[in-house]
Amino acid sequence: MVGKLKKLGIEPDQDFDIYKIDPAVAKGLNRVPQKVWDIFQSAPQQTNAQQTNGWLLFLRLGRYGTDYNTRALIAWLGLGAATLDDVIYPTAFVDGGGRLLDGAPHLRDAF
C-alpha cells in the first residue's frame, strides 16, 4: 500500500501537494470522494461481515489486514471498534427479506 500511495504523491513525513503530481492523477483523485460515497452506500454488503437474515456481524473488527473497505466503513460510521474478544456489533440495514429498513410503522405493528 505504501508503494501505491507513493505513486499518488502521498509519502510518510511529506506534505501532500496535489499540484506536484501528474495532472491526470490529480483529476482522478478529485473523482475519488464521490466514488467512496457510492461504495459506502453498498459497502455493508461488501465487507467481511457475516450476513444472516439481514443482520451483519462484523467478526474481524480491529483485525482488518488489507480489508480497506471494511476499515474505511467502520471509521466512517464513527465506531472506535473493539475486537471480537471484547464485543460484537450486530448491525442491520435490511430486513430478513432484503428490503431496506426505513423506520416506517407497518400495519401489523399497530396492533
Side-chain angles (χ1 to χ4, degrees):
M1 183 53 70
V2 171
K4 289 179 181 182
L5 291 172
K6 186 174 182 176
K7 290 178 184 178
L8 299 175
I10 301 169
E11 297 188 62
D13 300 319
Q14 299 291 319
D15 290 337
F16 176 72
D17 184 350
I18 199 163
Y19 299 106
K20 290 183 179 178
I21 63 174
D22 181 281
V25 174
K27 185 176 180 180
L29 285 176
N30 283 321
R31 290 192 302 261
V32 168
Q34 183 60 51
K35 288 184 180 252
V36 170
W37 288 118
D38 293 344
I39 290 169
F40 282 165
Q41 293 298 314
S42 61
Q45 289 74 33
Q46 296 179 24
T47 63
N48 67 22
Q50 177 181 325
Q51 300 182 36
T52 306
N53 294 327
W55 286 99
L56 300 172
L57 293 174
F58 295 92
L59 302 177
R60 292 181 18 213
L61 289 181
R63 295 187 177 109
Y64 305 106
T66 57
D67 182 1
Y68 300 113
N69 283 354
T70 302
R71 180 189 300 257
L73 176 67
I74 298 304
W76 175 70
L77 290 171
L79 297 175
T83 63
L84 181 61
D85 302 329
D86 298 317
V87 67
I88 61 170
Y89 300 96
T91 307
F93 297 95
V94 297
D95 65 14
R99 294 174 300 269
L100 285 175
L101 298 175
D102 63 13
H106 295 278
L107 183 58
R108 70 169 187 255
D109 297 331
F111 299 100

